C-alpha cells in the first residue's frame, strides 16, 4: 500500500540506525538498547542497525548481523523483473537509492508509518519534487519471517512504477492493482475472494466510482477496493498486454478515462464494466460446474482406500 507525502506517497494490506547517519529515520533509539545473545560466549552484545548497500538499494536491519547477500540480490533482481514486465526495459540506476528499512518490531513499524498502517505489513514512500524523485523508501514490518515473499515485490512495484510516472502520482486503483499482480498467488486469491463476496452482495464499486477515487476508500471497503483494482488491471492487461496498459494509463492521465479506453481498448466505461463483470460471473459458473465432478472423484478415491 502506498504512503504519500504532501509531494507524493504506498501500503500493503494483509485481507511501508543509523538514525544519525540517515537523518530521516526516526526509529531505533529505544530498540538499540535491546540485547542479543552471543552464540560463542557467555556475555551479551548489543543489537544495532546495519546497512548493506547495492547499486540501487540501502537495506537497513536491526540485530547482531546485517541482512544476507541473498536478500540484497533479491531486491536488485525483483527491481529488474518488474521494470522489464511493465516498462519493457532495464531500469536506469536509482539516485537516490531506495532505502529498505526492516523495522524490528510492530511498534517501530507503526511509529514510522503511522496508525493507518496497523493492518499492513509494508509501506512504500515516494517523494516527488519538481518532477523528480527525491526519496525512495520501503518500510517493512520485519517481525514476521515471511516479509520477503509477502511484501517485497508488491512494494518494489510501487517504487519502480513511480519512475515511469514521475510527473504525476498514479491513481490509487492503478497503483495498487498493478502492484497486486506482483503478489504471491495466495495473497492474490485472498483479494479475489474479497471481491467475489462484495459482488455477491452487490457491494462492489461501480466502475465510474472506482476510477474517480482520489484516495483510498473507507477502511471497511479496503478488501473490495484491492480485489476490484487487481481484477480490473488484470482484465485489461489480458486484452493487449502490459505495455498497452501503461499506454492507456498515460492517456487517461492526460485525456480522461473514457477517451483513453476508447483509443486503446475500443470500449467506453459502461461497456467495460459489463464485460469485466461478465468475466467474473463466467468464472464462478465454470467453477460451480466443475466442483461436483471434483468432489465425486475425491469421494471415489477415498472409498478405494
Amino acid at each position: 500500500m502506498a504512503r504519500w507525502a504532501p509531494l507524493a506517497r504506498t501500503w500493503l494490506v494483509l485481507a511501508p540506525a543509523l538514525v544519525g547517519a540517515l537523518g530521516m529515520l526516526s526509529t531505533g533509539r529505544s530498540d538499540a538498547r535491546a540485547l542479543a545473545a552471543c552464540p560463542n560466549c557467555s556475555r551479551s552484545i548489543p543489537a544495532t542497525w546495519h546497512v548493506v548497500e547495492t547499486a540501487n538499494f540501502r537495506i537497513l536491519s536491526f540485530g547482531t548481523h546485517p541482512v544476507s547477500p541473498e536478500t540484497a540480490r533479491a531486491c536488485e533482481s525483483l527491481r529488474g523483473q518488474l521494470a522489464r514486465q511493465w516498462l519493457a526495459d532495464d531500469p536506469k540506476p536509482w539516485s537516490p537509492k531506495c532505502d529498505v528499512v526492516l523495522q524490528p518490531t510492530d511498534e517501530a513499524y507503526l511509529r514510522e508509518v503511522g496508525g493507518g498502517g496497523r493492518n499492513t505489513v509494508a509501506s512504500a514512500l515516494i517523494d516527488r519534487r519538481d518532477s523528480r524523485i527525491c526519496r525512495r523508501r520501503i518500510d517493512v514490518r520485519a517481525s514476521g519471517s515471511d516479509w520477503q515473499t509477502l511484501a517485497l515485490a508488491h512494494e518494489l512495484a510501487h517504487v519502480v512504477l513511480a519512475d515511469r510516472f514521475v510527473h504525476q502520482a498514479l491513481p490509487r486503483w492503478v497503483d495498487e492493482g498493478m502492484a497486486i499482480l506482483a503478489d504471491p498467488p495466495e495473497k492474490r486469491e485472498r483479494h479475489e475472494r474479497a471481491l467475489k463476496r462484495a459482488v455477491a452482495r452487490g457491494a462492489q464499486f461501480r466502475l465510474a466510482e472506482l476510477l474517480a477515487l482520489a484516495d483510498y476508500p473507507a477502511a471497511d471497503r479496503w478488501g473490495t477496493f484491492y480485489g476490484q483494482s487487481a481484477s480490473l488491471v488484470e482484465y485489461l492487461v489480458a486484452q493487449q498486454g502490459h505495455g498497452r496498459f501503461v499506454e492507456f494509463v498515460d492517456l487517461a492521465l492526460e485525456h480522461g478515462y473514457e477517451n483513453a479506453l476508447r483509443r486503446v481498448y475500443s470500449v467506453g466505461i459502461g461497456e467495460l464494466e459489463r464485460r469485466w463483470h461478465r468475466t467474473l460471473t463466467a468464472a464462478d459458473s465454470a467453477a460451480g460446474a466443475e466442483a461436483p465432478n471434483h468432489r465425486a472423484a475425491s469421494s471415489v478415491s477415498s472409498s478405494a482406500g
Side-chain angles (χ1 to χ4, degrees):
M1 187 173 177
R3 287 180 295 158
W4 288 29
L7 302 164
R9 286 196 177 200
T10 299
W11 290 333
L12 173 60
V13 171
L14 287 171
L18 307 176
V19 176
L22 289 182
M24 68 179 184
L25 299 179
S26 60
T27 60
R29 294 184 185 277
S30 60
D31 301 300
R33 293 193 293 269
L35 295 179
C38 174
N40 300 319
C41 55
S42 58
R43 67 184 179 87
S44 294
I45 58 173
T48 189
W49 283 95
H50 300 270
V51 175
V52 171
E53 292 204 44
T54 68
N56 298 287
F57 293 90
R58 292 189 300 179
I59 306 172
L60 295 93
S61 60
F62 185 81
T64 56
H65 301 287
V67 298
S68 67
E70 288 77 12
T71 298
R73 286 195 290 269
C75 289
E76 291 287 355
S77 177
L78 275 172
R79 174 180 179 268
Q81 291 172 30
L82 289 163
R84 288 187 291 273
Q85 179 184 48
W86 288 109
L87 312 181
D89 200 1
D90 288 319
K92 296 178 180 179
W94 274 344
S95 179
K97 294 182 180 182
C98 180
D99 288 314
V100 179
V101 187
L102 308 184
Q103 301 291 354
T105 65
D106 293 348
E107 293 76 14
Y109 176 77
L110 291 175
R111 279 199 303 273
E112 188 57 46
V113 307
R118 193 168 304 280
N119 295 321
T120 73
V121 293
S123 172
L125 167 65
I126 303 104
D127 277 350
R128 293 175 175 85
R129 193 169 286 127
D130 299 326
S131 296
R132 61 178 292 272
I133 295 175
C134 58
R135 177 161 49 152
R136 300 175 175 90
R137 172 170 169 157
I138 297 172
D139 285 277
V140 177
R141 193 195 296 253
S143 51
S145 59
D146 55 354
W147 64 267
Q148 190 167 330
T149 56
L150 198 63
L152 183 59
H154 182 113
E155 299 307 325
L156 274 178
H158 288 304
V159 182
V160 167
L161 291 169
D163 282 357
R164 176 63 175 76
F165 297 95
V166 69
H167 300 292
Q168 183 176 353
L170 283 169
R172 291 297 195 190
W173 75 271
V174 173
D175 202 14
E176 293 298 346
M178 294 171 83
I180 288 170
L181 297 192
D183 281 336
E186 59 272 20
K187 181 167 285 296
R188 293 178 61 183
E189 287 167 6
R190 287 202 295 273
H191 290 307
E192 184 178 348
R193 290 195 295 271
L195 172 60
K196 288 182 176 180
R197 289 193 296 269
V199 170
R201 303 192 312 271
Q204 76 272 19
F205 292 89
R206 294 303 305 267
L207 188 52
E209 178 188 8
L210 180 70
L211 301 183
L213 283 175
D215 208 334
Y216 294 105
D220 61 354
R221 301 195 75 188
W222 277 6
T224 304
F225 167 76
Y226 278 90
Q228 191 166 349
S229 297
S231 179
L232 183 58
V233 171
E234 187 172 30
Y235 174 81
L236 291 173
V237 167
Q239 306 309 301
Q240 297 193 40
H242 295 79
R244 287 288 280 168
F245 179 79
V246 172
E247 291 177 26
F248 155 71
V249 175
D250 265 333
L251 287 169
L253 290 173
E254 186 173 356
H255 301 290
Y257 287 114
E258 185 74 24
N259 187 298
L261 283 169
R262 293 194 180 280
R263 289 175 62 176
V264 177
Y265 298 106
S266 301
V267 66
I269 292 175
E271 181 59 24
L272 173 61
E273 184 167 33
R274 288 187 286 274
R275 292 183 186 182
W276 166 78
H277 193 271
R278 281 200 299 269
T279 65
L280 294 182
T281 55
D284 285 342
S285 298
E290 293 174 3
N293 291 334
H294 176 71
R295 286 196 295 270
S298 298
S299 176
V300 170
S301 176
S302 298
S303 300

